[in-house]
Amino acid sequence: VERSLSASDDWERVEADNREIVRQVADEHGSIHAANVRAFADFLGNHHSVRIADATEEHVAEFRTEYYPRNAWPSDDQRAVVERSLRLAFDVADVEQLPRIDR
């Protein structure tokens, strides 16, 4: 599914919200987690125009199985902690009910 991002105030708002979560993860948990969360934010914003706080289990599964291995070019260190990174992102986003992450 292609989404038009031209003239999208929504995309700018999504990116700003997601960028803030990436910043907080970087500040509180370091660059490896921040790189994973940035990849997740890029995936959500560019492919779904969705904020991290609004990501579903389906988004997480698609990110983990399709986008992350093919597009994020993660290091071994990043791969080893990606589940933790996603949990940190949802914690920072103050998501009450976390989507399933460990698929």
Side-chain angles (χ1 to χ4, degrees):
V1 173
E2 294 289 330
R3 289 185 180 255
S4 174
L5 296 178
S6 62
S8 174
D9 290 337
D10 289 341
W11 183 88
E12 290 175 8
R13 189 177 22 239
V14 165
E15 176 57 23
D17 288 351
N18 289 348
R19 188 180 325 113
E20 178 58 21
I21 291 171
V22 173
R23 185 196 63 74
Q24 287 182 41
V25 168
D27 289 350
E28 297 171 19
H29 303 286
S31 62
I32 291 173
H33 289 298
N36 281 335
V37 176
R38 178 73 258 170
F40 189 47
D42 288 344
F43 164 73
L44 290 173
N46 294 334
H47 294 273
H48 296 286
S49 195
V50 168
R51 296 167 51 243
I52 289 171
D54 299 325
T56 66
E57 185 175 320
E58 291 78 19
H59 291 128
V60 172
E62 183 182 354
F63 172 75
R64 294 282 315 274
T65 61
E66 301 293 328
Y67 183 88
Y68 189 73
R70 293 185 178 127
N71 300 97
W73 299 87
S75 68
D76 291 340
D77 291 340
Q78 284 175 262
R79 270 190 219 95
V81 299
V82 67
E83 285 181 22
R84 176 78 176 130
S85 300
L86 294 174
R87 289 183 198 289
L88 293 170
F90 288 121
D91 285 347
V92 168
D94 201 26
V95 173
E96 290 184 25
Q97 184 161 343
L98 296 178
R100 184 172 178 187
I101 293 171
D102 60 349
R103 278 201 208 186

